[in-house]
Amino acid sequence: MHEPVTISCTVNGRHYTRAVEPRRLLSDFIRHDLGLTGTHVGCEHGVCGACTVLLEGDAVRSCLMLAVQADGLSLMTIEGVASPDGTLHPLQAAFREQHGLQCGFCTPGFIMSILQFLGENPAPTDAEIREALSGNLCRCTGYVQIIAAVRQAAAAKAGAPGVG
Amino acid sequence: MKPPPFSYHAPITVAEAIDLLGRYDGDAKVVAGGQSLLPLLNFRLSRPAALVDINRIPGLDYIRADGGMLEIGAVTRHRAVERSAVVAAHCPLLAEAVRHIGHFQIRNRGTIGGSIAHADPAAELPIVLTALEGEVVITGPGGVRTATASEFFITLFTTSLGSDELVTAVRFPTLGPGTGSAFQELARRSGDFALVAVAAALALDEAGAVRWVRLALGGVDLVPVRAAGAEEFLAGKRPDAATLAEAAALVAGEINPESDLHATAEYRRQLAAVLTGEALETAARRAAEGGECGHA
Ligand SMILES: Cc1cc2nc3c(=O)[nH]c(=O)nc-3n(C[C@H](O)[C@H](O)[C@H](O)COP(=O)(O)OP(=O)(O)OC[C@H]3O[C@@H](n4cnc5c(N)ncnc54)[C@H](O)[C@@H]3O)c2cc1C
Ligand code: FES
Ligand code: FES
């Protein structure tokens, strides 16, 4: 039973079927088996938030799930956020305009987290934004521009329901 | 790091899960939200022969209030508890405490049963269970049994759960009119486990004196503890500022925190007093304002 198990799931609207070892982390499945390397891996214990993806619309740590647990479920990763023609999602545009990223390692995790947050709370206060960002670590920006980006995105109504 | 190899089972009934756990005879681990177990696997601190995933078992994800009792299925996510109007109405202490667990991404996956079974001494939900004198519903090969917090939490990360038993639900009694409760904790960063956390619940009589009070603390011992001395001291007294301050000082004297990487024993003792004072004051104010509407 350590042998590969066949699973099917939908990622960014596309259907995938793959054989995975039970111990395959969802983060590694996304990166290595599906080649979607926009989802980053920092700590592998749930603290940094770099690996955050949407599972059935909820932001979750892909390093704390097994790929087999995603069987039959639907995921969205950073690759699914912009329009197919490459037009940035308003939240991504806000990050660029407000300089909400420097090296960009943390950015996919922030974007996926904020998509759920703004979907549920379209007009957050600054205190709510800070609380919502507390589950993602950034070593570069100092967070101030990320908060500004979330404010701009909120003004542009960039929550999850609007996502392609 | 990556988890070591294991066999994976995703049963669809409680009976099947219990049977699998029995067959592995202590070598299998249940996985619910995975928010505590997966880090242990990734660090290879845990090397089970098999994982029994209970996420595909229907009927373990519910929130139900009746007969003065709030019952929550083991696989109910922290986020569902946090958002539930039923929880807010019947067990506001739980609604207040659950928001302190990690970050919303952690609460999207983590479950109430997992939090209770994991038995971290600083975790919020075991403290609430202890304060409210709730019970853990456990299903094993012989059927269903229940355990109180003191019967369930043995020591650090250790419970009285058998290796072929599952936590299937957690029950919290509804406090009703004339009562108030409050939760206070201090963590160094938002989302961290608390250095010290305090849950207080109390009832006032018509004259405004304390009819009963329950104080539970986490992060100060190997399991959540009740502050029996302070509880006894408060009974029958009016909860004015001087009385609450005296009770808070008693709490500092009756706990036995240890020093670790995160805080010294002395600091934890002082924090316990401050947080107890704040929790008691809020609980008393809420009780005086009419109390919790358990019959909503
Ligand atoms: C970054 C981060 C921050 C966190 N901060 C906090 C915090 O502040 N406060 C806090 O309380 N927790 C915190 N947690 C842990 C989180 O609350 C977990 O959800 C919880 O401790 C365990 O629930 P789970 O469903 O994820 O359990 P799992 O990880 O799936 O399991 C934990 C343990 O319980 C056992 N188990 C699970 N369900 C059952 C069951 N039904 N019957 C029998 N055994 C079972 C498993 O075998 C395992 O040993 C944090 C986690 C992370 C990653
Ligand atoms: S890699 Fe998953 S939270 Fe850090
Ligand atoms: S931009 Fe470099 S870690 Fe956030």
Side-chain angles (χ1 to χ4, degrees), chain B residues 123-166:
Chain B
E124 287 79 5
L125 303 187
I127 301 169
V128 173
L129 188 80
T130 303
L132 293 179
E133 299 184 348
E135 55 190 24
V136 186
V137 182
I138 298 159
T139 308
V144 178
R145 68 182 178 99
T146 60
T148 63
S150 58
E151 290 160 352
F152 190 75
F153 300 115
I154 305 292
T155 182
L156 198 70
F157 304 122
T158 308
T159 69
S160 60
L161 200 65
S163 63
D164 56 357
E165 288 184 314
L166 271 188

Short mmCIF file of all heavy atoms in Angstrom, two decimals, chain B residues 123-166:
data_model
loop_
_atom_site.label_atom_id
_atom_site.label_comp_id
_atom_site.label_asym_id
_atom_site.label_seq_id
_atom_site.Cartn_x
_atom_site.Cartn_y
_atom_site.Cartn_z
N ALA B 123 -3.13 24.70 23.64
CA ALA B 123 -4.19 24.82 22.62
C ALA B 123 -5.47 25.35 23.25
O ALA B 123 -5.79 25.04 24.40
CB ALA B 123 -4.43 23.46 21.97
N GLU B 124 -6.21 26.13 22.48
CA GLU B 124 -7.38 26.83 22.99
C GLU B 124 -8.53 25.87 23.34
O GLU B 124 -9.17 26.02 24.39
CB GLU B 124 -7.89 27.85 21.97
CG GLU B 124 -7.02 29.10 21.83
CD GLU B 124 -5.77 28.90 20.98
OE1 GLU B 124 -5.59 27.82 20.39
OE2 GLU B 124 -4.96 29.86 20.91
N LEU B 125 -8.84 24.93 22.45
CA LEU B 125 -10.07 24.16 22.64
C LEU B 125 -10.04 23.24 23.87
O LEU B 125 -11.05 23.14 24.58
CB LEU B 125 -10.43 23.39 21.36
CG LEU B 125 -10.58 24.31 20.13
CD1 LEU B 125 -11.10 23.53 18.93
CD2 LEU B 125 -11.48 25.51 20.42
N PRO B 126 -8.91 22.59 24.17
CA PRO B 126 -8.87 21.83 25.42
C PRO B 126 -9.11 22.70 26.66
O PRO B 126 -9.69 22.24 27.65
CB PRO B 126 -7.45 21.24 25.42
CG PRO B 126 -7.09 21.13 23.97
CD PRO B 126 -7.72 22.35 23.33
N ILE B 127 -8.69 23.96 26.60
CA ILE B 127 -8.90 24.86 27.75
C ILE B 127 -10.39 25.16 27.90
O ILE B 127 -10.94 25.15 29.00
CB ILE B 127 -8.10 26.17 27.56
CG1 ILE B 127 -6.61 25.87 27.41
CG2 ILE B 127 -8.35 27.14 28.70
CD1 ILE B 127 -5.78 27.07 26.95
N VAL B 128 -11.06 25.39 26.76
CA VAL B 128 -12.51 25.66 26.79
C VAL B 128 -13.26 24.43 27.31
O VAL B 128 -14.16 24.54 28.14
CB VAL B 128 -13.01 26.08 25.39
CG1 VAL B 128 -14.52 26.19 25.37
CG2 VAL B 128 -12.37 27.41 24.98
N LEU B 129 -12.85 23.26 26.83
CA LEU B 129 -13.49 22.02 27.29
C LEU B 129 -13.35 21.87 28.80
O LEU B 129 -14.29 21.50 29.51
CB LEU B 129 -12.84 20.81 26.59
CG LEU B 129 -13.52 19.48 26.83
CD1 LEU B 129 -14.75 19.34 25.93
CD2 LEU B 129 -12.57 18.30 26.58
N THR B 130 -12.16 22.22 29.31
CA THR B 130 -11.89 22.12 30.75
C THR B 130 -12.74 23.12 31.53
O THR B 130 -13.34 22.78 32.55
CB THR B 130 -10.39 22.37 31.00
OG1 THR B 130 -9.64 21.42 30.24
CG2 THR B 130 -10.04 22.23 32.47
N ALA B 131 -12.81 24.35 31.03
CA ALA B 131 -13.55 25.39 31.75
C ALA B 131 -15.05 25.08 31.78
O ALA B 131 -15.71 25.31 32.79
CB ALA B 131 -13.32 26.75 31.09
N LEU B 132 -15.57 24.57 30.69
CA LEU B 132 -17.02 24.37 30.60
C LEU B 132 -17.46 23.00 31.12
O LEU B 132 -18.65 22.70 31.13
CB LEU B 132 -17.51 24.58 29.16
CG LEU B 132 -17.38 26.01 28.63
CD1 LEU B 132 -17.86 26.09 27.19
CD2 LEU B 132 -18.16 26.99 29.51
N GLU B 133 -16.51 22.17 31.52
CA GLU B 133 -16.82 20.81 31.96
C GLU B 133 -17.60 20.07 30.87
O GLU B 133 -18.63 19.45 31.12
CB GLU B 133 -17.58 20.83 33.30
CG GLU B 133 -16.74 21.48 34.40
CD GLU B 133 -17.38 21.46 35.78
OE1 GLU B 133 -18.57 21.16 35.88
OE2 GLU B 133 -16.65 21.76 36.75
N GLY B 134 -17.08 20.17 29.67
CA GLY B 134 -17.67 19.45 28.54
C GLY B 134 -17.19 18.02 28.51
O GLY B 134 -16.52 17.55 29.43
N GLU B 135 -17.55 17.31 27.44
CA GLU B 135 -17.09 15.93 27.33
C GLU B 135 -16.71 15.56 25.90
O GLU B 135 -17.21 16.13 24.94
CB GLU B 135 -18.11 14.95 27.92
CG GLU B 135 -19.49 15.06 27.32
CD GLU B 135 -20.54 14.25 28.09
OE1 GLU B 135 -20.35 13.97 29.28
OE2 GLU B 135 -21.55 13.89 27.45
N VAL B 136 -15.81 14.59 25.84
CA VAL B 136 -15.33 14.08 24.56
C VAL B 136 -16.11 12.80 24.28
O VAL B 136 -16.21 11.93 25.15
CB VAL B 136 -13.82 13.77 24.65
CG1 VAL B 136 -13.28 13.37 23.28
CG2 VAL B 136 -13.06 14.96 25.20
N VAL B 137 -16.69 12.70 23.09
CA VAL B 137 -17.41 11.48 22.70
C VAL B 137 -16.44 10.61 21.91
O VAL B 137 -15.84 11.08 20.92
CB VAL B 137 -18.66 11.81 21.86
CG1 VAL B 137 -19.41 10.53 21.50
CG2 VAL B 137 -19.57 12.79 22.61
N ILE B 138 -16.26 9.39 22.38
CA ILE B 138 -15.24 8.49 21.83
C ILE B 138 -15.92 7.22 21.33
O ILE B 138 -16.72 6.62 22.03
CB ILE B 138 -14.22 8.14 22.94
CG1 ILE B 138 -13.52 9.42 23.42
CG2 ILE B 138 -13.23 7.09 22.46
CD1 ILE B 138 -12.89 9.28 24.79
N THR B 139 -15.57 6.81 20.10
CA THR B 139 -16.14 5.57 19.58
C THR B 139 -15.02 4.56 19.36
O THR B 139 -13.98 4.89 18.78
CB THR B 139 -16.89 5.83 18.26
OG1 THR B 139 -17.82 6.90 18.48
CG2 THR B 139 -17.67 4.60 17.81
N GLY B 140 -15.23 3.35 19.87
CA GLY B 140 -14.24 2.28 19.73
C GLY B 140 -14.94 0.98 19.37
O GLY B 140 -16.15 0.96 19.12
N PRO B 141 -14.18 -0.12 19.36
CA PRO B 141 -14.77 -1.40 18.98
C PRO B 141 -15.94 -1.80 19.89
O PRO B 141 -16.87 -2.47 19.46
CB PRO B 141 -13.62 -2.40 19.14
CG PRO B 141 -12.40 -1.62 19.41
CD PRO B 141 -12.75 -0.20 19.68
N GLY B 142 -15.90 -1.36 21.15
CA GLY B 142 -16.95 -1.72 22.10
C GLY B 142 -18.13 -0.77 22.10
O GLY B 142 -19.04 -0.91 22.92
N GLY B 143 -18.13 0.25 21.25
CA GLY B 143 -19.23 1.20 21.21
C GLY B 143 -18.78 2.59 21.59
O GLY B 143 -17.60 2.93 21.43
N VAL B 144 -19.72 3.38 22.13
CA VAL B 144 -19.45 4.80 22.39
C VAL B 144 -19.27 5.02 23.88
O VAL B 144 -19.99 4.47 24.69
CB VAL B 144 -20.64 5.65 21.88
CG1 VAL B 144 -20.42 7.13 22.16
CG2 VAL B 144 -20.84 5.44 20.38
N ARG B 145 -18.27 5.83 24.27
CA ARG B 145 -18.12 6.24 25.66
C ARG B 145 -17.83 7.74 25.68
O ARG B 145 -17.55 8.34 24.64
CB ARG B 145 -16.99 5.46 26.35
CG ARG B 145 -15.60 5.80 25.84
CD ARG B 145 -14.53 4.95 26.53
NE ARG B 145 -13.19 5.25 26.00
CZ ARG B 145 -12.30 6.06 26.57
NH1 ARG B 145 -12.59 6.69 27.70
NH2 ARG B 145 -11.11 6.26 26.03
N THR B 146 -17.92 8.34 26.85
CA THR B 146 -17.58 9.75 26.96
C THR B 146 -16.51 9.93 28.03
O THR B 146 -16.37 9.09 28.92
CB THR B 146 -18.81 10.62 27.33
OG1 THR B 146 -19.29 10.18 28.60
CG2 THR B 146 -19.91 10.52 26.30
N ALA B 147 -15.75 11.02 27.91
CA ALA B 147 -14.73 11.32 28.91
C ALA B 147 -14.76 12.81 29.20
O ALA B 147 -14.94 13.62 28.28
CB ALA B 147 -13.35 10.91 28.39
N THR B 148 -14.60 13.18 30.46
CA THR B 148 -14.45 14.59 30.81
C THR B 148 -13.02 15.01 30.49
O THR B 148 -12.15 14.17 30.24
CB THR B 148 -14.69 14.80 32.31
OG1 THR B 148 -13.67 14.07 33.02
CG2 THR B 148 -16.06 14.31 32.75
N ALA B 149 -12.77 16.32 30.56
CA ALA B 149 -11.42 16.82 30.26
C ALA B 149 -10.39 16.15 31.17
O ALA B 149 -9.34 15.71 30.70
CB ALA B 149 -11.38 18.34 30.42
N SER B 150 -10.69 16.02 32.48
CA SER B 150 -9.67 15.47 33.37
C SER B 150 -9.48 13.97 33.14
O SER B 150 -8.40 13.44 33.40
CB SER B 150 -9.98 15.78 34.83
OG SER B 150 -11.23 15.26 35.17
N GLU B 151 -10.52 13.31 32.63
CA GLU B 151 -10.34 11.89 32.28
C GLU B 151 -9.59 11.73 30.97
O GLU B 151 -8.93 10.72 30.73
CB GLU B 151 -11.71 11.20 32.14
CG GLU B 151 -12.44 11.03 33.46
CD GLU B 151 -13.94 10.79 33.29
OE1 GLU B 151 -14.47 10.90 32.16
OE2 GLU B 151 -14.59 10.50 34.30
N PHE B 152 -9.70 12.75 30.10
CA PHE B 152 -9.16 12.62 28.74
C PHE B 152 -7.70 13.05 28.63
O PHE B 152 -6.88 12.35 28.06
CB PHE B 152 -10.02 13.43 27.77
CG PHE B 152 -9.71 13.17 26.32
CD1 PHE B 152 -10.12 11.99 25.71
CD2 PHE B 152 -8.99 14.09 25.58
CE1 PHE B 152 -9.82 11.73 24.38
CE2 PHE B 152 -8.68 13.85 24.24
CZ PHE B 152 -9.10 12.67 23.64
N PHE B 153 -7.38 14.22 29.20
CA PHE B 153 -6.01 14.75 29.04
C PHE B 153 -5.12 14.17 30.14
O PHE B 153 -5.30 14.45 31.32
CB PHE B 153 -6.01 16.28 29.12
CG PHE B 153 -6.86 16.92 28.06
CD1 PHE B 153 -7.99 17.64 28.38
CD2 PHE B 153 -6.53 16.76 26.71
CE1 PHE B 153 -8.79 18.22 27.39
CE2 PHE B 153 -7.31 17.33 25.71
CZ PHE B 153 -8.45 18.06 26.05
N ILE B 154 -4.14 13.34 29.73
CA ILE B 154 -3.29 12.67 30.70
C ILE B 154 -2.03 13.50 30.96
O ILE B 154 -1.70 13.82 32.08
CB ILE B 154 -2.88 11.26 30.19
CG1 ILE B 154 -4.13 10.43 29.84
CG2 ILE B 154 -2.00 10.54 31.21
CD1 ILE B 154 -4.98 10.05 31.01
N THR B 155 -1.32 13.80 29.90
CA THR B 155 -0.14 14.66 30.03
C THR B 155 0.14 15.26 28.65
O THR B 155 -0.69 15.16 27.76
CB THR B 155 1.07 13.88 30.61
OG1 THR B 155 2.18 14.78 30.75
CG2 THR B 155 1.49 12.71 29.75
N LEU B 156 1.30 15.90 28.52
CA LEU B 156 1.69 16.53 27.27
C LEU B 156 1.39 15.62 26.06
O LEU B 156 1.92 14.51 25.98
CB LEU B 156 3.19 16.76 27.37
CG LEU B 156 3.86 17.75 26.46
CD1 LEU B 156 3.44 19.16 26.82
CD2 LEU B 156 5.37 17.60 26.59
N PHE B 157 0.57 16.09 25.11
CA PHE B 157 0.28 15.34 23.87
C PHE B 157 -0.19 13.91 24.13
O PHE B 157 -0.02 13.04 23.27
CB PHE B 157 1.50 15.32 22.93
CG PHE B 157 2.02 16.67 22.57
CD1 PHE B 157 3.34 17.03 22.84
CD2 PHE B 157 1.20 17.62 21.98
CE1 PHE B 157 3.83 18.29 22.52
CE2 PHE B 157 1.68 18.88 21.64
CZ PHE B 157 2.99 19.21 21.93
N THR B 158 -0.73 13.63 25.29
CA THR B 158 -1.13 12.27 25.63
C THR B 158 -2.53 12.26 26.23
O THR B 158 -2.81 13.02 27.17
CB THR B 158 -0.14 11.66 26.65
OG1 THR B 158 1.18 11.82 26.14
CG2 THR B 158 -0.42 10.19 26.89
N THR B 159 -3.39 11.40 25.67
CA THR B 159 -4.77 11.31 26.15
C THR B 159 -5.09 9.88 26.53
O THR B 159 -4.29 8.97 26.30
CB THR B 159 -5.75 11.75 25.06
OG1 THR B 159 -5.74 10.76 24.02
CG2 THR B 159 -5.38 13.10 24.46
N SER B 160 -6.28 9.67 27.06
CA SER B 160 -6.71 8.32 27.43
C SER B 160 -7.35 7.58 26.25
O SER B 160 -7.91 6.51 26.43
CB SER B 160 -7.68 8.38 28.61
OG SER B 160 -8.82 9.15 28.24
N LEU B 161 -7.24 8.15 25.05
CA LEU B 161 -7.80 7.53 23.86
C LEU B 161 -7.03 6.24 23.54
O LEU B 161 -5.81 6.24 23.48
CB LEU B 161 -7.63 8.52 22.69
CG LEU B 161 -8.49 8.37 21.46
CD1 LEU B 161 -9.96 8.61 21.80
CD2 LEU B 161 -8.03 9.38 20.40
N GLY B 162 -7.78 5.13 23.34
CA GLY B 162 -7.13 3.87 22.95
C GLY B 162 -6.66 3.96 21.51
O GLY B 162 -7.15 4.78 20.73
N SER B 163 -5.71 3.07 21.13
CA SER B 163 -5.16 3.15 19.77
C SER B 163 -6.19 2.74 18.72
O SER B 163 -6.00 2.98 17.54
CB SER B 163 -3.89 2.31 19.65
OG SER B 163 -4.21 0.96 19.88
N ASP B 164 -7.28 2.09 19.15
CA ASP B 164 -8.34 1.74 18.19
C ASP B 164 -9.62 2.53 18.47
O ASP B 164 -10.72 2.07 18.18
CB ASP B 164 -8.62 0.23 18.22
CG ASP B 164 -8.97 -0.26 19.61
OD1 ASP B 164 -8.93 0.56 20.57
OD2 ASP B 164 -9.28 -1.45 19.76
N GLU B 165 -9.46 3.71 19.05
CA GLU B 165 -10.62 4.56 19.30
C GLU B 165 -10.51 5.87 18.51
O GLU B 165 -9.42 6.35 18.24
CB GLU B 165 -10.72 4.91 20.79
CG GLU B 165 -11.14 3.74 21.66
CD GLU B 165 -11.32 4.17 23.11
OE1 GLU B 165 -10.46 4.88 23.65
OE2 GLU B 165 -12.34 3.78 23.71
N LEU B 166 -11.68 6.42 18.19
CA LEU B 166 -11.75 7.70 17.49
C LEU B 166 -12.51 8.69 18.37
O LEU B 166 -13.49 8.32 19.01
CB LEU B 166 -12.62 7.57 16.24
CG LEU B 166 -12.06 7.17 14.89
CD1 LEU B 166 -13.17 7.33 13.87
CD2 LEU B 166 -10.88 8.05 14.52
#
